[in-house]
Amino acid sequence: MNFNLMYEKLLKEYSYQGWWPIISYEGSNPTKTGSIKGYHPSDYSFPRDSYEQFEIIIGSILTQNTSWPSVEKSLINLSNLDLFDDFDGFSPEFILNLANDSEDDFKEAIRPAGYFNQKFNYLQNISKFYIELNGKTPSRADLLSVKGVGNETADSIRLYAYGECEIIVDAYFKRILVYLGIVNEKDNYNKIKSIVGSDFTGDFKDYQEFHALIVEHGKRYYTKRPYGLNDKVLNEFKII
DNA sequence: AACCAGGACGTGA
DNA sequence: TCACGTCATGGT
């Protein structure tokens, strides 16, 4: 299976997705499915500073099993909790100070994203981890050592916050690959990642675009059962 | 009313 | 290792 062909097909179908959204960036809003703002199609210069880098990281925690508009509300709520100074961006110190000084307000801010008790702890864990990185790029294993960061979140952080080439296997991608007959339902994350990774080449922009396109396509054809119904876009890749 | 959302973790077998 | 329950709000 040549996944570059699948990538080209999706890109032709949906064009550039402009991931990862940055809430302070008044970008365009491509044809999406729940997106609100912060997207930047065909602009791969993000993150432009450590604030945006850290915003992507905490967004990747907040979006676990949660739709993006809910995450965006949470991020905006958090930014508005800075009662002393004007908000100048997300940082680990900002998160840790906020968590220490006003735990209840913090949890209330991220309530829209769900699992607010768990994510409250996860955000503190990743904040301490980010400080210890001291500017270095974390390995996948480094990220997985943080409680609250699993396979998909680790790959999302590396791909979108650090521009490292990683295949992301989210629920949509697995459904698509199962539907096409490329992987089995029981195949675990790392197996699917290696199957795709062995037949996909490109630079970090391609990896970022590919995952965003998979999500866009998944939202259209793989949210309701039976998954893949009316998926004519990728039908040519179906095995048997 | 049931199901899903850009998952991860703890537990018991 | 892996199947299953739990975490929680919001939209369809």
Side-chain angles (χ1 to χ4, degrees):
Chain A
M1 178 62 220
N2 185 343
F3 290 99
N4 285 86
L5 290 179
M6 183 183 295
Y7 166 46
E8 291 171 17
K9 183 79 175 180
L10 291 172
L11 186 57
K12 179 183 291 185
E13 186 75 17
Y14 304 120
S15 191
Y16 302 97
Q17 298 301 301
W19 279 40
W20 186 283
I22 300 292
I23 65 165
S24 61
Y25 179 72
E26 300 293 338
S28 67
N29 182 359
T31 69
K32 358 194 97 233
T33 35
S35 78
I36 301 178
K37 66 173 187 180
Y39 294 89
H40 40 88
S42 73
D43 181 352
Y44 301 93
S45 63
F46 296 82
R48 298 170 296 187
D49 54 43
S50 72
Y51 291 115
E52 293 183 346
Q53 182 174 59
F54 192 68
E55 178 181 330
I56 294 171
I57 290 173
I58 63 176
S60 72
I61 299 280
L62 290 172
T63 199
Q64 291 169 356
N65 205 36
T66 304
S67 63
W68 184 257
S70 297
V71 176
E72 187 178 281
K73 289 175 191 168
S74 297
L75 290 173
I76 293 172
N77 288 343
L78 283 175
S79 71
N80 289 333
L81 283 184
D82 196 354
L83 303 178
F84 309 103
D85 306 302
D86 289 333
F87 179 76
D88 50 13
F90 292 102
S91 68
E93 294 80 10
F94 173 78
I95 294 295
L96 291 172
N97 290 337
L98 206 53
N100 283 329
D101 297 346
S102 45
E103 176 174 336
D104 291 341
D105 290 340
F106 192 108
K107 288 184 176 178
E108 193 61 28
I110 64 172
R111 176 182 287 271
Y115 310 113
F116 54 86
N117 289 306
Q118 280 190 347
K119 288 177 178 175
F120 174 75
N121 292 318
Y122 292 173
L123 290 176
Q124 292 183 83
N125 296 343
I126 198 68
S127 295
K128 294 168 187 168
F129 172 79
Y130 187 80
I131 290 173
E132 292 169 359
L133 281 177
N134 201 19
K136 290 193 294 290
T137 298
S139 71
R140 201 161 181 277
D142 290 339
L143 288 162
L144 290 174
S145 72
V146 180
K147 186 185 293 182
V149 178
N151 285 311
E152 184 181 340
T153 305
D155 285 332
S156 293
I157 289 173
R158 278 177 54 77
L159 179 57
Y160 290 105
Y162 291 94
E164 296 289 322
C165 296
E166 297 283 3
I167 293 294
I168 299 176
V169 185
D170 68 332
Y172 288 133
F173 202 9
K174 180 169 183 177
R175 287 173 193 170
I176 291 170
L177 295 173
V178 169
Y179 170 76
L180 295 176
I182 297 169
V183 306
N184 292 107
E185 178 63 43
K186 60 173 179 55
D187 291 341
N188 66 27
Y189 188 98
N190 287 319
K191 175 166 185 177
I192 298 175
K193 181 181 170 77
S194 69
I195 289 173
V196 177
S198 63
D199 277 306
F200 184 80
T201 58
D203 63 14
F204 79 95
K205 303 174 185 178
D206 298 312
Y207 281 79
Q208 291 183 348
E209 205 63 71
F210 188 33
H211 172 65
L213 287 163
I214 287 291
V215 172
E216 179 61 24
H217 186 62
K219 283 177 178 173
R220 297 179 185 234
Y221 298 101
Y222 293 84
T223 56
K224 296 188 299 289
R225 296 173 191 268
Y227 299 135
L229 192 63
N230 301 324
D231 180 3
K232 286 179 268 191
V233 180
L234 297 183
N235 226 24
E236 65 185 89
F237 300 102
K238 197 168 183 179
I239 297 177
I240 301 176

